[in-house]
């Protein structure tokens, strides 16, 4: 099979190593070539790369597509692609689109055209998530502290809420998906601003999860259970991320891709309900 990756950031250093296992060739825009060559850890994949200038010239050779671009652009790109050809699977990045309303529109559009798709929510593949899920029996209390180092000089879309960035839509969306999947869908408290999201969620068994997500001067991630620190790391993936080695998230992406590549269970209703839940959190400030 052949894959196409759209996106010169996480598409390259995250998805490319993960999807290379299943790809005879990987199509990349020539505009990405300089970035690709600067990443030493990617050079071993060079022989699998086919560079293109015009997408229309290679689209018929593509089976699977990874789209890792700005959320605000994702809907437009998806529409243009699936009008050209029916692909075996679209791997789309969170937060789906730049806001709940447009995310709902995109999911309904994909479902109406019977497109196989999935979104890159990765926490469910992490060991601490599995432990948390196992311990949600009755009257248990957890806390997640996630501090993200802010770069005030960085003007990236990742800091702009209107484009699908910001503390909640870019970072917090991981936690919103986790909370929804664990059925902790009752909101006890909810406080958010540009640099902070603090909230508490509970289920019908009186399990409670407290969230403390904020921009800070250094990276930090902690999972606390009954006042005991279970995870103490710089990030939820518990790995150091640098440009000298394959991004550790690629190994998690490999699990995600393997799970979705050859079968795409119908998650339409759950996806729609998840978007409603996201919207509810944003409205319940």
């Amino acid at each position: 099979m052949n894959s196409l990756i759209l996106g010169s950031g996480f598409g390259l250093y995250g998805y490319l190593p993960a999807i290379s296992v299943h790809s005879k060739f990987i199509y990349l825009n020539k505009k990405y070539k300089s970035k690709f060559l600067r990443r030493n850890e990617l050079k071993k994949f060079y022989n699998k790369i086919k560079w293109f200038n015009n997408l229309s010239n290679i689209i018929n050779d593509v089976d699977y597509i990874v789209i890792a671009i700005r959320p605000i652009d994702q809907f437009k790109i998806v529409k243009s692609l699936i009008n050209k050809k029916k692909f075996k699977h679209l791997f789309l990045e969170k937060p789906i689109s730049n806001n709940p309303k447009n995310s709902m529109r995109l999911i309904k559009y994909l479902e109406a055209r019977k497109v196989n798709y999935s979104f890159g929510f990765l926490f469910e593949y992490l060991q601490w998530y599995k432990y948390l899920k196992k311990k949600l029996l009755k009257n248990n209390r957890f806390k997640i502290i996630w501090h993200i180092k802010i770069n005030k000089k960085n003007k990236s879309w990742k800091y702009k809420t209107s484009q699908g960035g910001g503390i909640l839509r870019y970072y917090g969306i991981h936690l919103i998906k986790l909370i929804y999947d664990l059925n902790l869908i009752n909101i006890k408290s909810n406080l958010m601003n540009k640099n902070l999201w603090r909230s508490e969620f509970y289920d019908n068994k009186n399990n409670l999860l407290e969230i403390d997500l904020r921009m800070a001067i250094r990276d930090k991630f902690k999972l606390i259970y009954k006042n005991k620190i279970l995870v103490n790391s710089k990030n939820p993936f518990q790995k150091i991320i640098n440009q000298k080695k394959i991004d550790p998230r690629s190994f998690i992406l490999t699990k995600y891709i393997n799970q979705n590549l050859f079968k795409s269970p119908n998650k339409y209703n759950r996806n729609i309900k998840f978007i409603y839940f996201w919207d509810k959190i944003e409205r319940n400030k």
Side-chain angles (χ1 to χ4, degrees):
M1 75 171 211
N2 296 324
S3 303
L4 165 68
I5 295 176
L6 297 178
S8 61
F10 195 52
L12 290 185
Y13 57 79
Y15 275 95
L16 192 152
I19 206 164
S20 67
V21 178
H22 300 286
S23 303
K24 181 179 180 181
F25 295 114
I26 302 172
Y27 287 92
L28 296 177
N29 194 306
K30 277 189 176 179
K31 293 178 181 179
Y32 305 165
K33 194 167 187 177
S34 60
K35 285 188 176 182
F36 178 94
L37 293 175
R38 286 199 299 269
R39 308 277 314 204
N40 290 328
E41 81 278 19
L42 298 182
K43 289 181 180 178
K44 65 180 179 180
F45 303 109
Y46 190 85
N47 289 339
K48 284 196 172 189
I49 306 302
K50 283 190 173 292
W51 303 99
F52 69 89
N53 287 314
N54 189 330
L55 184 58
S56 298
N57 292 339
I58 58 97
I59 202 69
N60 288 330
D61 297 325
V62 173
D63 302 297
Y64 299 89
I65 300 183
V66 170
I67 302 178
I69 59 176
R70 294 189 311 166
I72 198 170
D73 298 325
Q74 188 153 253
F75 196 170
K76 179 177 67 175
I77 295 296
V78 167
K79 286 175 70 175
S80 69
L81 287 169
I82 64 177
N83 284 334
K84 291 181 171 69
K85 178 186 172 180
K86 184 173 178 63
F87 301 96
K88 292 182 179 179
H89 197 93
L90 298 185
F91 293 96
L92 306 172
E93 261 300 282
K94 53 81 189 169
I96 305 175
S97 190
N98 62 312
N99 59 45
K101 181 180 178 181
N102 287 334
S103 297
M104 189 80 72
R105 288 176 58 229
L106 175 53
I107 288 174
K108 290 182 177 180
Y109 185 87
L110 292 168
E111 288 289 336
R113 286 151 184 82
K114 295 181 171 54
V115 176
N116 291 326
Y117 67 93
S118 57
F119 298 104
F121 293 104
L122 303 180
F123 281 10
E124 67 181 277
Y125 301 98
L126 302 177
Q127 288 301 315
W128 62 259
Y129 170 89
K130 295 173 183 177
Y131 180 86
L132 192 161
K133 185 177 182 179
K134 182 180 177 180
K135 288 293 183 179
L136 287 177
L137 301 173
K138 189 176 182 181
N139 298 319
N140 281 327
R141 185 183 183 97
F142 288 86
K143 183 174 183 178
I144 291 177
I145 299 172
W146 188 8
H147 292 182
I148 297 141
K149 185 178 180 180
I150 188 169
N151 182 351
K152 294 182 179 180
K153 295 180 180 180
N154 192 328
K155 304 300 181 182
S156 166
W157 63 266
K158 294 178 183 178
Y159 294 104
K160 298 175 182 177
T161 301
S162 63
Q163 295 187 24
I167 194 71
L168 190 75
R169 292 181 179 176
Y170 185 70
Y171 297 99
I173 197 70
H174 279 294
L175 297 173
I176 295 173
K177 185 65 164 57
L178 174 151
I179 292 161
Y180 176 75
D181 286 345
L182 296 176
N183 205 34
L184 294 157
I185 57 175
N186 303 297
I187 302 174
K188 183 177 181 180
S189 64
N190 195 38
L191 171 67
M192 70 180 74
N193 58 40
K194 182 180 178 181
N195 296 311
L196 169 73
W197 179 40
R198 294 184 64 184
S199 193
E200 294 175 302
F201 298 88
Y202 64 96
D203 62 13
N204 57 9
K205 295 180 288 187
N206 205 33
N207 294 300
L208 185 137
L209 175 61
E210 182 182 350
I211 300 294
D212 181 343
L213 173 65
R214 63 181 69 200
M215 298 295 187
I217 59 173
R218 61 179 61 89
D219 292 319
K220 178 170 69 175
F221 182 85
K222 290 184 179 181
L223 174 62
I224 301 169
Y225 171 54
K226 291 184 176 180
N227 296 319
K228 181 181 179 181
I229 298 175
L230 301 179
V231 176
N232 188 0
S233 180
K234 285 191 172 184
N235 59 67
F237 304 98
Q238 299 176 262
K239 301 288 184 181
I240 296 173
I241 299 172
N242 60 50
Q243 292 189 18
K244 294 182 180 179
K245 297 180 180 179
I246 296 294
D247 191 302
R249 290 169 292 182
S250 284
F251 303 107
I252 304 164
L253 281 167
T254 299
K255 296 179 182 179
Y256 156 66
I257 288 171
N258 288 344
Q259 180 175 303
N260 290 279
L261 194 63
F262 302 111
K263 60 177 183 178
S264 300
N266 186 355
K267 296 182 180 180
Y268 173 70
N269 289 332
R270 283 195 62 79
N271 286 336
I272 292 294
K273 289 178 181 178
F274 161 64
I275 300 300
Y276 276 125
F277 182 57
W278 169 17
D279 188 54
K280 180 181 178 182
I281 290 171
E282 289 208 358
R283 292 176 183 273
N284 189 5
K285 297 178 182 179

